[in-house]
Amino acid sequence: MRAIDVHVHPSTRGLDCDACAYFRRELNDVPTTEEEFAELFVAQQVKALLIGWHPSTVKDGTRNSNEYVIELVTKYPAAFAGVLASLNVGSQPVAELVEEAEALLKNPAVKGFKFHPPDQNFYPNDKKHYELWELLEAGQKPVMFHTGFTVLGANQDGGKGIGLDCGRPIHLDTLARDFPRMKIIAAHPGWPWQEELIGVVTHKKNIYVDTSGYLAEQLPELFQRAIRGRLQDKALFGTDFPYVDLEKALVSFDKLGLKDAVKEKILLSNARSVFAL
Ligand SMILES: [Zn+2]
């Protein structure tokens, strides 16, 4: 295996066309059948973690769901390493979320959870969600939160109702303080708050970061320096497929000129240890 991609959305459901336009992604290049989607990862010798969340901006077609990505993992074990399940934090009573999370934690395909605070309109460190975080911390599954800019609603009137503030990296800082045994992954380099993100990931041992949403050579310079050095044990390779192409992401990652040992950590062994794969 060449890499673990910790940040993959199924291209077969819930594809956001504004996001594809933002990334100038040719829709013809995006696999639309499950077989093609799985085959792409097998061909690149990459195993993906599939995200079960459905963006609020996508109204058409069948919804993506935890059940659906769990089914994909079961059908295509050579392509997919597991699932990052999602829950309707922010719009559903916490007691219901706890019940759903309890069931998901028992499923061996579920390797962690993924939330999108700007799109789901909640603050990760808001105490009203703490009962859920207590359960996830006790369940020992890492929890990923989108940070920084989002392509959802980008260049749309009112950002399609999405506010960026919920995605500021600083909100993960007090969360990590209050849940020191919860492994937290900040998704993306946190732009335009990349310095804030690096500060938080450097200070809190239980916060990690993924490289997704960018070709590696386009990552903020400061972020590239951080993952080359102090954060090399805390950075995880991720694409944000289908918005970023897997093959291009791998080629670009090679161009960072990282030492082999550092490259191996970021592509593979950090993810293995964080998600217990
Ligand atoms: Zn994503």
Side-chain angles (χ1 to χ4, degrees), residues 7 114-118 124 144-150 164 166-172 184-193 197 207-210 212 214:
H7 195 128
K114 157 82 197 282
F115 303 104
H116 198 300
M144 179 187 280
F145 293 94
H146 172 97
T147 61
F149 183 83
T150 177
L164 294 179
C166 292
R168 276 189 67 169
I170 198 68
H171 303 310
L172 299 181
I184 296 167
I185 298 142
H188 319 298
W191 182 80
W193 300 290
L197 177 128
I207 306 188
Y208 301 80
V209 64
D210 82 23
S212 71
Y214 289 76

Side-chain angles (χ1 to χ4, degrees), residues 125 130 137 171-182 184 200 204-207:
N125 57 348
Y130 272 27
E137 183 186 48
H171 303 310
L172 299 181
D173 182 66
T174 36
L175 180 71
R177 175 198 66 192
D178 294 346
F179 296 93
R181 285 177 306 283
M182 182 195 255
I184 296 167
V200 165
K204 296 295 183 292
K205 196 176 177 190
N206 54 321
I207 306 188

Side-chain angles (χ1 to χ4, degrees), residues 62-178:
T62 317
R63 286 182 70 81
N64 182 30
S65 66
N66 295 327
E67 293 69 31
Y68 177 63
V69 285
I70 289 169
E71 191 186 304
L72 286 178
V73 168
T74 315
K75 274 201 222 166
Y76 303 99
F80 309 128
V83 158
L84 301 182
S86 200
L87 296 161
N88 294 323
V89 181
S91 59
Q92 216 177 307
V94 74
E96 285 178 25
L97 301 175
V98 163
E99 214 171 289
E100 280 180 40
E102 274 168 347
L104 287 163
L105 284 167
K106 287 184 195 133
N107 191 315
V110 175
K111 306 298 182 193
F113 289 79
K114 157 82 197 282
F115 303 104
H116 198 300
D119 188 36
Q120 299 182 292
N121 194 26
F122 75 91
Y123 286 94
N125 57 348
D126 186 331
K127 294 233 170 19
K128 69 181 177 209
H129 312 304
Y130 272 27
E131 197 187 329
L132 176 63
W133 306 148
E134 276 161 26
L135 179 76
L136 299 190
E137 183 186 48
Q140 297 179 318
K141 300 284 180 201
V143 185
M144 179 187 280
F145 293 94
H146 172 97
T147 61
F149 183 83
T150 177
V151 292
L152 302 176
N155 199 26
Q156 304 290 318
D157 291 330
K160 280 197 170 167
I162 293 171
L164 294 179
D165 187 56
C166 292
R168 276 189 67 169
I170 198 68
H171 303 310
L172 299 181
D173 182 66
T174 36
L175 180 71
R177 175 198 66 192
D178 294 346

Side-chain angles (χ1 to χ4, degrees), residues 27-45:
L27 283 175
N28 292 335
D29 297 341
V30 175
T32 50
T33 70
E34 293 174 4
E35 290 75 16
E36 288 168 330
F37 174 46
E39 186 42 49
L40 196 122
F41 282 84
V42 173
Q44 293 298 328
Q45 295 172 275

